[in-house]
């Protein structure tokens, strides 16, 4: 099959700097963070505003792309499970999907609540939520 | 910034063959479809089963990656909006995000309900839903 090339459109700025210290889910103590977009993408941000909840897609560039099965949450007592049935970061295409609440927009910088991605994580896309029932 | 390479892990098999005929949302008449994974990824599917709702990530390989703003739903009466505030397929990294219900699993083939992706669309990832509040 063909391969496709991602173009990172920005980076996460966060106090989280280490994957081992990162919470597994945002409600487990993830800090607020900044999404810093390349200036060229400023027109694509038009319409984002404080108070909106959006989906953030990132590239988990520290992930192991050859992992196909894991013990969920790293717990050896839980049975080995295919990565497509888990949210483990290690997977063939390690795309991170984060539900974030926008706190502020300052030009190409967007401040969001509770993001579990670590500092420097490449940003791929931002989307509104799926439509109800969609 | 660095670029990253996606490895398609399978393809969509659908009766939809033409982007212009594809519904914009799955509740607008999208047909059931098959997700056909490369055999090498079979271990990553372990844990997927009929009745589960999962998120499917695809690469919208017909999209225009240089589009930064659109009229939502192609309606010229609606104001030009940044693509990150819309679900338009045209965007810098055209990753499709689809909420699908699994009807059947047959080895590396997974049958899903109401998928608006067209035939041949590359598959990137499958994930469980975001945790409530996550």
């Amino acid at each position: 099959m063909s391969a496709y090339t991602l173009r990172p459109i920005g980076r996460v700025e966060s106090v989280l700097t280490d994957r081992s210290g990162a919470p597994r889910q945002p409600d487990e103590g993830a800090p607020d963070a900044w999404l810093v977009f390349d200036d060229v993408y400023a027109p694509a941000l038009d319409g984002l505003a404080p108070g909106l909840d959006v989906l953030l897609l990132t590239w988990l560039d520290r992930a192991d792309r050859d992992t196909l099965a894991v013990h969920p949450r790293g717990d050896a007592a839980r049975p080995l499970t295919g990565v497509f049935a888990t949210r483990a970061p290690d997977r063939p295409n390690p795309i991170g999907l984060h539900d974030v609440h926008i706190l502020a927009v300052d030009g190409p910088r967007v401040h969001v609540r509770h993001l579990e991605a670590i500092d420097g994580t490449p940003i791929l896309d931002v989307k509104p939520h799926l439509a109800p029932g969609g």
Side-chain angles (χ1 to χ4, degrees), chain A residues 32-107:
Chain A
D32 301 345
W34 286 93
L35 312 180
V36 183
F37 292 87
D38 268 21
D39 287 341
V40 68
Y41 298 111
L45 297 171
D46 187 39
L48 297 184
L52 287 179
D53 292 296
V54 293
L55 296 170
L56 170 70
L57 281 70
T58 62
W59 185 252
L60 304 172
D61 55 348
R62 282 79 159 182
D64 173 10
R65 304 183 66 177
D66 294 321
T67 298
L68 297 181
V70 296
H71 297 285
R73 300 183 65 93
D75 179 352
R78 297 177 68 169
L80 208 58
T81 303
V83 292
F84 299 152
T86 82
R87 304 277 299 192
D90 297 327
R91 49 184 58 242
N93 293 298
I95 297 170
L97 183 61
H98 319 269
D99 185 346
V100 293
H101 180 78
I102 296 178
L103 297 168
V105 178
D106 179 11

Side-chain angles (χ1 to χ4, degrees), chain A residues 90-133:
Chain A
D90 297 327
R91 49 184 58 242
N93 293 298
I95 297 170
L97 183 61
H98 319 269
D99 185 346
V100 293
H101 180 78
I102 296 178
L103 297 168
V105 178
D106 179 11
R109 297 171 58 87
V110 177
H111 199 205
V112 299
R113 192 155 67 193
H114 295 175
L115 179 61
E116 73 277 23
I118 63 182
D119 188 62
T121 299
I123 299 172
L124 300 179
D125 200 9
V126 177
K127 294 182 191 295
H129 273 257
L130 293 160

